[in-house]
Amino acid sequence: YTEICRRGTGVQVIVRARLPATVRRRNDIELYDRRRMMVFTCRRIKFLSRTIEACQATVDALLLAAG
């Protein structure tokens, strides 16, 4: 599920995945897998999935690319 963030300056991508214990921020990316309150805007990006999907391989690749 992907939507425009509250400020309108980025996106929130919500997927199912696990993160290493120490990872929360990398460059301009924030990642959380527990204990986080989120505000949904319902400004969904129409051409992307409207459901929350399991995306472990994608999250792992993102972490690797983000350094």
Side-chain angles (χ1 to χ4, degrees):
Y1 177 80
T2 305
E3 66 178 19
I4 304 297
C5 73
R6 204 168 42 141
R7 292 184 179 181
T9 58
V11 296
Q12 296 184 133
V13 180
I14 297 94
V15 300
R16 283 190 213 111
R18 296 266 183 206
L19 296 174
T22 59
V23 174
R24 293 295 170 255
R25 291 180 187 211
R26 294 258 173 105
N27 300 322
D28 292 334
I29 300 168
E30 291 183 40
L31 303 159
Y32 303 97
D33 66 348
R34 62 184 154 292
R35 300 176 59 131
R36 190 70 177 178
M37 185 183 84
M38 295 180 60
V39 175
F40 289 90
T41 64
C42 298
R43 294 179 1 196
R44 188 174 67 82
I45 298 178
K46 303 291 185 208
F47 61 89
L48 297 174
S49 177
R50 57 182 357 165
T51 60
I52 298 172
E53 306 290 332
C55 294
Q56 188 66 55
T58 302
V59 170
D60 292 343
L62 177 64
L63 288 170
L64 188 61

